[in-house]
Structure formats: structure tokens, C-alpha cells
């Protein structure tokens, strides 16, 4: 599954705001632009558990953090008409990378500070990838600047695993260390239809571009496996809000080739959802479902540098 997702993310290739108009003439129909870049990814994936019988109080939170993970990104844009373009983009991590996970419990309703805490520095980001397909309608398409509205669909995936670690329970009364084996695995998948605005401006050989995407129709699915307890938690949300802000600047070496630097910030806000819990150990199997007890959230910053080519 991981190799397949990486192949899809790399082959889909895109970035809706990196194409440029020629300096003296408007972009012609049927123009195709492609590009490739390398960069780094940093972010956080969060999962939460709430207690409905205690007024929805948060009782558990896990934070999965990763920093400066190497990624490769590709994109293409096809100018279908002078006022309409189709874009596709994708990126993927190049290898597994170190991460960190912190697990907090608030077991005492009268206490605001966590009662239990475990730390797992031996955590891996197994993979992360994204693909994005979109259409852009150009409301203004002048020779030097363009402005348009866009609509599309994006899918994000991340996967983690944590080994060993230390714990402090009952407000520090119990302190110890987990065995150095795989303790927890966690995976998130977001499917996000969105709308947005995009624009770009060129002055001589320098071009700047930006885009803002928004969604309140996203959905997420997560799988949280606690191997030491033989427990699997599957959470899902609907109608989840998400934002994405991108900005880039580039320099044209020729009329067809551009060097560019880009930064993209993605944020999906926390949303309560449903949970299915499964206990499976030998001949013992139990399954239970709960509504509005799970919380899912993520944010990430992607920064890349690369080349754009206009056909």
C-alpha cells in the first residue's frame, strides 16, 4: 500500500499556481507546464478521545510530530482554454523518518493537568503523501497577471509507528519504561473537496503566485493500533474544516524554464467523530461503537525548490 501510494503521488504531478504568463503575451490555450521539486515537510497529527458521559470532557490526546522530512513533488498544468486550466500535483516522502509521539491522559475530572503521560522518542514517520486534482477558472487573465477561482479534491495520508518509551502514571506515583517493541501504530487519511482563490503576477523575469483553499466538506479516517493491549481503534469524521495557503516566487532563466521556491501550509481543524473499538487476542474478540468521542486534527508545512518547464 505504501509503495502504491508513493507511485501515485509521484506520477500524478501538479501545482496550480506555478505556471506563468509570457511577459508580453497572454497564456495561449493548450499550453502545458510541468515541474519537479525537492523539499522538506514538518507537521503534527493529533488524535483525541472525549467522554460523553462527563459532558464531552477530553480524556486522552496523542500528538505525533515530525520535522524536516525529505519529500519530492511533481506537478502539471494544462491550459484547456484561455480562461480554464486543469492542474494536478502530488508529493511523497522519500523514506522513513524519525518522529516523536506524546500520549496524555486526564483521568481525574477534578484535575486540569494530565494524570498520565507517556513519551515515545523512538517513533517513525513511515510515510506521508498527498495528491490534488483541480480546475481553475481565470476571471482575469492579462499578460502580466492572472486571478481565478478554483475547485478540486485533495487526499492526504500519513502513517506512524512508535516503539518503547517511558511512562508516568497516577500523577507520577508510577514511573517506568515500556519494552523496546512496537507499541502503537497510527494512520490518518483525509479526503478534502475544496474551493479557492488563486493569483499570480510577473514582472520581467520574476513571478510571484499565491493560492488559498478552503473546505468544510472534508472527511477523515484513522486507525490507531495498541499492540501491547491487542486493541484497535478506528475513527471517522465528516464535514471537517480545512485550510491551505500557498505562496511561491520564481525566476525565469529562459522563456520556458523557471527556478522557483514555494511554501504551503495545510491545516485541518479538530472535529469530533465516531469510533469503533476492537479487542482481539486469540479466541477472545470484542467490538464496540461510540458516537462523537473521537477527535482528529492535522497541520503541516511543506517547503520546496525546483524547476518549471513550459511546453
Amino acid at each position: 500500500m505504501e509503495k502504491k501510494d508513493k507511485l501515485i503521488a509521484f506520477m500524478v504531478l501538479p501545482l496550480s499556481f506555478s505556471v506563468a504568463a509570457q511577459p508580453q503575451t497572454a497564456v495561449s490555450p493548450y499550453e502545458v507546464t510541468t515541474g519537479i521539486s525537492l523539499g522538506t515537510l514538518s507537521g503534527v497529527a493529533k488524535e483525541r478521545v472525549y467522554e460523553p458521559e462527563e459532558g464531552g470532557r477530553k480524556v486522552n490526546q496523542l500528538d505525533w510530530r515530525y520535522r524536516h522530512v525529505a519529500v519530492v513533488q511533481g506537478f502539471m498544468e494544462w491550459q484547456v482554454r484561455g480562461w480554464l486550466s486543469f492542474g494536478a500535483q502530488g508529493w511523497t516522502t522519500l523514506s522513513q523518518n524519525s518522529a516523536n509521539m506524546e500520549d496524555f491522559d486526564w483521568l481525574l475530572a477534578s484535575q486540569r493537568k494530565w494524570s498520565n503521560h507517556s513519551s515515545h522518542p523512538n517513533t517513525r514517520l513511515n510515510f506521508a503523501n498527498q495528491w490534488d486534482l483541480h480546475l481553475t477558472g481565470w476571471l482575469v487573465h492579462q499578460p502580466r497577471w492572472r486571478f481565478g477561482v478554483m475547485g478540486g479534491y485533495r487526499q492526504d495520508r500519513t502513517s506512524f509507528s512508535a516503539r518503547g518509551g517511558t511512562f508516568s502514571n497516577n500523577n507520577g506515583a508510577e514511573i517506568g519504561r515500556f519494552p523496546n517493541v512496537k507499541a502503537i501504530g497510527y494512520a490518518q487519511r483525509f479526503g478534502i473537496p475544496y474551493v479557492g482563490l488563486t493569483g499570480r503576477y510577473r514582472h520581467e523575469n520574476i513571478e510571484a503566485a499565491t493560492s488559498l483553499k478552503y473546505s468544510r466538506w472534508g472527511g477523515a479516517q484513522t486507525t490507531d493500533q495498541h499492540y501491547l493491549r491487542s486493541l484497535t481503534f478506528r475513527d471517522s469524521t465528516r464535514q471537517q474544516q480545512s485550510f491551505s495557503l500557498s505562496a511561491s516566487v520564481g525566476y525565469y532563466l529562459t522563456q520556458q524554464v523557471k527556478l522557483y521556491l514555494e511554501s504551503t501550509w495545510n491545516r485541518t481543524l479538530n472535529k469530533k467523530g465516531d469510533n469503533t473499538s476492537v479487542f482481539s487476542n486469540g479466541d477472545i474478540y470484542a467490538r464496540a461503537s461510540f458516537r462523537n468521542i473521537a477527535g482528529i486534527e492535522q497541520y503541516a508545512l511543506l517547503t520546496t525548490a525546483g524547476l518549471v518547464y513550459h511546453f
Side-chain angles (χ1 to χ4, degrees):
M1 178 65 72
E2 174 187 349
K3 292 182 178 179
K4 182 179 178 182
D5 290 338
K6 286 186 176 181
L7 182 60
I8 291 173
F10 181 74
M11 294 180 64
V12 169
L13 300 180
L15 196 60
S16 66
F17 48 80
S18 58
V19 185
Q22 296 296 326
Q24 300 299 327
T25 60
V27 175
S28 60
Y30 315 117
E31 179 179 291
V32 175
T33 301
T34 62
I36 190 167
S37 61
L38 295 172
T40 63
L41 177 73
S42 299
V44 181
K46 293 175 178 277
E47 54 175 318
R48 297 178 175 89
V49 179
Y50 301 92
E51 179 51 76
E53 296 182 359
E54 297 182 19
R57 182 177 69 87
K58 182 175 68 174
V59 295
N60 176 249
Q61 178 172 315
L62 280 72
D63 296 342
W64 302 81
R65 297 181 182 272
Y66 51 97
R67 292 191 177 117
H68 310 308
V69 180
V71 299
V72 59
Q73 176 174 247
F75 73 89
M76 65 82 69
E77 183 175 84
W78 173 33
Q79 196 69 34
V80 183
R81 295 287 186 270
W83 58 272
L84 178 68
S85 62
F86 167 77
Q89 74 91 24
W91 57 258
T92 182
T93 51
L94 293 174
S95 64
Q96 289 190 356
N97 290 268
S98 61
N100 185 70
M101 191 270 279
E102 302 289 331
D103 185 353
F104 303 91
D105 292 301
W106 292 263
L107 301 183
L108 302 175
S110 60
Q111 180 176 306
R112 297 187 63 181
K113 186 178 181 294
W114 51 263
S115 58
N116 295 7
H117 169 237
S118 65
S119 181
H120 304 265
N122 189 10
T123 296
R124 306 292 290 175
L125 173 65
N126 299 320
F127 66 85
N129 57 55
Q130 179 190 101
W131 58 263
D132 184 326
L133 303 175
H134 52 268
L135 287 171
T136 302
W138 297 103
L139 304 178
V140 178
H141 44 99
Q142 299 297 321
R144 293 189 181 277
W145 69 284
R146 310 179 78 192
F147 175 78
V149 296
M150 62 194 315
Y153 180 84
R154 188 181 89 228
Q155 188 172 106
D156 303 341
R157 292 172 179 261
T158 54
S159 172
F160 302 89
S161 58
R163 298 177 62 90
T166 60
F167 63 86
S168 173
N169 295 337
N170 297 328
N171 290 315
E174 302 173 12
I175 297 176
R177 182 177 296 274
F178 294 108
N180 189 28
V181 297
K182 185 185 290 187
I184 302 175
Y186 184 60
Q188 287 184 334
R189 183 180 67 183
F190 293 89
I192 303 173
Y194 64 83
V195 295
L197 301 172
T198 186
R200 61 190 71 159
Y201 175 77
R202 179 170 176 178
H203 176 69
E204 296 181 349
N205 290 334
I206 298 175
E207 182 178 63
T210 186
S211 68
L212 173 65
K213 302 173 184 178
Y214 170 74
S215 175
R216 57 177 302 172
W217 314 282
Q221 294 82 41
T222 70
T223 301
D224 181 2
Q225 294 179 288
H226 289 246
Y227 300 101
L228 300 181
R229 296 191 290 160
S230 302
L231 277 171
T232 300
F233 303 99
R234 294 185 175 90
D235 302 333
S236 63
T237 61
R238 299 176 62 187
Q239 305 298 312
Q240 194 161 1
Q241 290 193 80
S242 178
F243 303 86
S244 178
L245 177 63
S246 299
S248 69
V249 61
Y251 181 83
Y252 279 87
L253 303 175
T254 70
Q255 289 300 311
Q256 291 179 295
V257 179
K258 180 179 74 171
L259 284 171
Y260 79 99
L261 175 67
E262 175 191 55
S263 186
T264 301
W265 178 74
N266 293 321
R267 175 72 184 271
T268 301
L269 301 182
N270 182 50
K271 177 71 182 293
K272 287 185 178 181
D274 301 333
N275 166 270
T276 298
S277 303
V278 175
F279 175 83
S280 180
N281 190 349
D283 295 334
I284 304 175
Y285 178 87
R287 184 177 184 273
S289 297
F290 307 92
R291 294 183 59 83
N292 295 321
I293 74 163
I296 303 172
E297 180 183 0
Q298 68 92 21
Y299 52 89
L301 177 66
L302 174 67
T303 301
T304 60
L307 284 171
V308 173
Y309 185 81
H310 296 266
F311 288 93

